[in-house]
Amino acid sequence: MKFINSKLALFLVTSCMVIGSVSAQEIIKDEPVQDTVKPKAPTGKLKVDGIVAVVGDFVVLDSDIDMMYKELQAQEVSVKDITRCELLGKLMEDKLYAHHAIQDSIIVSDVEVNERMQQQIDYFVEQLGSEQRMVEYFKKRDLPSFKEELFEMIKNQKLTEQMQKKIIDEVEVTPEEVKIFFSKFKGDEIPQFGAEVEIAQIVVKPEISQEEKQKIIDRLKEIKKEVEGGASFYSKAVLYSEDPGSRSSGGFYKMTRKTAFVKEFKDAAFSLDEGEISDPVETEFGYHLIYVEKIRGQEIDVRHILMKPKVSKESEAAAKKKIENIRQRILSGEISFADAAKSESDEKETRNSGGLLMNPRTLETRFELTKLPSELYSAVYDLKEGEITQPLLEDDPRTGKVFKIMTVATRYPEHKADFAQDYLKIKELALKEKQIQIIGEWSEEKIKETYIKVAKEYQDCKFANHWVKK
């Protein structure tokens, strides 16, 4: 939204990773970033890293601010207009949440931290070229020490996220509150909503031969036998699983019956005893070997190995021909797009709605055009209503190769918010404002009761919160 200000944008950047120790003292060179508080040291001089703030049981080091700049730059975020005061304020907010998360006995598992840490390292390596260049970029001694510090930072970040979630989890807005929120905007202040589209698609999946399926089933049965003979399920998952989300953690997931996993997977997992391994289980993603590691009431720890049958060239060619024929029948007027989706599409989630995609954020069928994922935007941004794309080959890492055709069912032009037409979007904005207000009230209260100290050279900062107690 155009009226969200920069202060709020900075507040919402809760996923920034800050690489730096909370206790180590190190010597670092001045970074070429604008220092809005302290005078710059002469070129080439060294400064000793020191504590610039204390929040409860946590400290913020001067180098934490430097490293936050470097991490933002690694993510290609412009830091030209971001001051050290703003970053210190953000770091202190995170420490406040983390401190009270620990006080409230919020627990973050090592498995969760390791999974995110690996994702972050993979991202840095992709951006910087290698692990060695990553270590050098962040001025760390070696990879193990880098990982150790990154682990602690991610753990604190996840504590922050869990604390924030706890604060706003039960915040709701009534229709009357939504009405009052919207009535505050007059004339040019009324929010402007971007152009929106409704998108429909028809999906054809190449058929997989029974022979290929049996090959995967037999291999999973071999792995099960090896594990029952003493091999490590963890190691087998790391080596053989094709699930990118859990492979690095040995196939680990924590789940309850409400966890958003496919029914076949959940049914199989909850039918097993602790320490038991399933036979191969088929889902839309492939075949799974499921191992129940721990049962604690309604929650279970599982590990799984996912293997996907491979599609033959012949099957891929047949699927492409089928989608081309469906497209031609629609263009000739023989069948409507919606009816073709209902009778021919292999995507069960959209088949009954005539192929219409559901926006997972709003649970509506309308998508703001500029917020579409890049691959979806490139396919439909210049389509007129009713036009159909050429067949598109999509290779989803979760579900494999599929062919699809897409159409724009309806276009909605850019417009000023209308209370009746855009009620759900206005409600979402009202909810966000209320959540920010609740977060602010919580922060103000906790700052008063938490030990906080800010170094003298940062006490003139104009913080959003009252960190400097007079």
Side-chain angles (χ1 to χ4, degrees):
M1 292 303 303
K2 296 177 181 177
F3 60 87
I4 293 180
N5 61 33
S6 59
K7 175 182 166 185
L8 174 56
L10 183 65
F11 172 80
L12 293 175
V13 183
T14 57
S15 60
C16 286
M17 300 306 306
V18 184
I19 315 303
S21 169
V22 297
S23 59
Q25 299 290 310
E26 60 179 318
I27 296 177
I28 60 172
K29 290 184 180 179
D30 280 326
E31 293 300 326
V33 293
Q34 181 183 6
D35 189 332
T36 57
V37 179
K38 299 173 295 179
K40 283 188 177 180
T43 304
K45 287 193 73 172
L46 301 177
K47 64 181 179 185
V48 178
D49 191 14
I51 295 173
V52 294
V54 179
V55 181
D57 294 332
F58 292 90
V59 300
V60 180
L61 300 180
D62 210 24
S63 65
D64 291 341
I65 302 174
D66 295 327
M67 290 302 171
M68 196 170 187
Y69 270 118
K70 293 186 76 67
E71 200 280 333
L72 289 170
Q73 289 169 326
Q75 294 193 18
E76 299 181 353
V77 175
S78 173
V79 298
K80 185 167 67 79
D81 298 320
I82 300 177
T83 68
R84 294 183 74 84
C85 287
E86 288 176 307
L87 293 189
L88 176 58
K90 176 66 178 67
L91 287 168
M92 291 178 71
E93 283 180 10
D94 290 348
K95 303 304 183 189
L96 184 70
Y97 295 127
H99 172 75
H100 285 283
I102 292 172
Q103 303 302 308
D104 289 2
S105 301
I106 292 175
I107 296 172
V108 172
S109 73
D110 287 355
V111 171
E112 294 176 81
V113 178
N114 281 320
E115 185 176 333
R116 183 176 289 187
M117 180 173 73
Q118 191 56 54
Q119 291 171 352
Q120 193 70 23
I121 288 174
D122 290 345
Y123 175 82
F124 287 146
V125 169
E126 182 182 343
Q127 295 297 308
L128 300 172
S130 69
E131 288 184 345
Q132 183 57 37
R133 291 185 67 182
M134 173 185 69
V135 171
E136 292 169 356
Y137 180 83
F138 287 105
K139 297 186 180 294
K140 298 305 167 185
R141 187 173 63 255
D142 51 32
L143 185 60
S145 62
F146 175 84
K147 285 186 173 182
E148 184 179 341
E149 294 185 20
L150 181 56
F151 181 93
E152 287 304 315
M153 291 302 101
I154 292 175
K155 187 169 186 176
N156 291 337
Q157 183 196 26
K158 290 192 77 68
L159 285 169
T160 294
E161 291 171 0
Q162 291 298 318
M163 191 69 242
Q164 288 178 330
K165 184 175 183 296
K166 181 178 178 180
I167 297 166
I168 65 174
D169 241 2
E170 296 181 6
V171 178
E172 295 180 346
V173 286
T174 65
E176 183 62 24
E177 287 176 313
V178 178
K179 188 175 181 180
I180 292 171
F181 168 80
F182 187 66
S183 68
K184 293 187 297 186
F185 300 103
K186 306 294 181 185
D188 292 341
E189 295 177 349
I190 295 175
Q192 187 88 359
F193 290 121
E196 296 176 310
V197 290
E198 288 185 317
I199 303 166
Q201 66 183 24
I202 296 172
V203 174
V204 173
K205 297 180 180 179
E207 290 187 13
I208 298 170
S209 69
Q210 194 57 45
E211 180 183 0
E212 177 63 22
K213 291 180 181 180
Q214 192 59 49
K215 187 166 73 174
I216 296 295
I217 292 170
D218 291 343
R219 179 66 185 113
L220 287 172
K221 285 181 175 179
E222 286 177 17
I223 292 174
K224 177 180 178 180
K225 191 173 180 181
E226 290 167 6
V227 172
E228 289 174 339
S232 164
F233 194 99
Y234 177 100
S235 298
K236 295 291 184 184
V238 171
L239 287 171
Y240 301 116
S241 182
E242 296 179 63
D243 175 16
S246 70
R247 183 175 58 232
S248 62
S249 61
F252 182 84
Y253 284 112
K254 192 185 295 289
M255 59 184 288
T256 69
R257 290 190 180 275
K258 293 183 179 180
T259 304
F261 281 33
V262 290
K263 182 178 184 299
E264 300 89 343
F265 188 98
K266 282 201 288 190
D267 288 348
F270 281 99
S271 70
L272 298 171
D273 293 327
E274 191 172 296
E276 190 177 0
I277 303 174
S278 71
D279 287 327
V281 177
E282 183 179 10
T283 73
E284 63 190 87
F285 301 105
Y287 288 87
H288 309 255
L289 207 58
I290 304 171
Y291 166 54
V292 174
E293 190 169 75
K294 188 76 175 175
I295 298 176
R296 51 172 75 83
Q298 299 300 310
E299 186 177 74
I300 62 175
D301 293 348
V302 301
R303 295 187 185 276
H304 84 128
I305 297 169
L306 171 65
M307 288 188 171
K308 304 174 186 179
K310 303 302 181 282
V311 175
S312 68
K313 291 294 183 184
E314 294 77 15
S315 180
E316 190 175 316
K320 184 179 180 183
K321 185 174 182 181
K322 180 179 178 181
I323 199 81
E324 287 171 342
N325 288 339
I326 293 170
R327 182 176 185 274
Q328 192 55 46
R329 289 172 62 202
I330 297 169
L331 291 174
S332 69
E334 179 185 338
I335 190 171
S336 69
F337 195 101
D339 287 341
K342 290 174 183 176
S343 62
E344 303 291 345
S345 182
D346 291 329
E347 187 174 61
K348 62 183 180 182
E349 295 85 359
T350 60
R351 193 164 51 214
N352 292 334
S353 64
L356 282 174
L357 299 180
M358 181 74 73
N359 188 329
R361 189 173 61 82
T362 63
L363 301 182
E364 292 184 294
T365 55
R366 288 161 62 163
F367 293 81
E368 195 165 338
L369 190 60
T370 56
K371 293 183 180 178
L372 284 172
S374 57
E375 67 280 1
L376 199 53
Y377 179 83
S378 62
V380 305
Y381 79 98
D382 61 348
L383 284 184
K384 295 183 176 66
E385 281 189 19
E387 284 188 335
I388 305 172
T389 65
Q390 292 292 329
L392 306 169
L393 174 61
E394 184 177 283
D395 194 356
D396 190 309
R398 299 182 311 142
T399 56
K401 291 182 179 180
V402 298
F403 286 94
K404 61 171 61 176
I405 53 175
M406 310 181 79
T407 187
V408 171
T410 314
R411 278 187 176 271
Y412 300 91
E414 182 177 353
H415 64 281
K416 282 189 175 183
D418 176 89
F419 188 76
Q421 180 182 334
D422 300 304
Y423 177 79
L424 289 178
K425 294 186 186 67
I426 296 167
K427 180 182 178 182
E428 185 180 346
L429 293 174
L431 177 61
K432 284 180 180 176
E433 181 181 75
K434 188 172 181 180
Q435 287 172 337
I436 291 168
Q437 179 185 338
I438 296 296
I439 284 275
E441 291 170 357
W442 180 92
S443 298
E444 194 171 326
E445 177 188 337
K446 295 302 180 183
I447 286 171
K448 290 176 182 176
E449 64 185 57
T450 306
Y451 176 79
I452 294 169
K453 186 170 180 61
V454 179
K456 185 176 180 181
E457 62 266 36
Y458 283 95
Q459 288 185 4
D460 290 334
C461 285
K462 290 181 169 48
F463 294 118
N465 293 311
H466 299 107
W467 297 114
V468 181
K469 299 178 180 180
K470 303 296 184 183

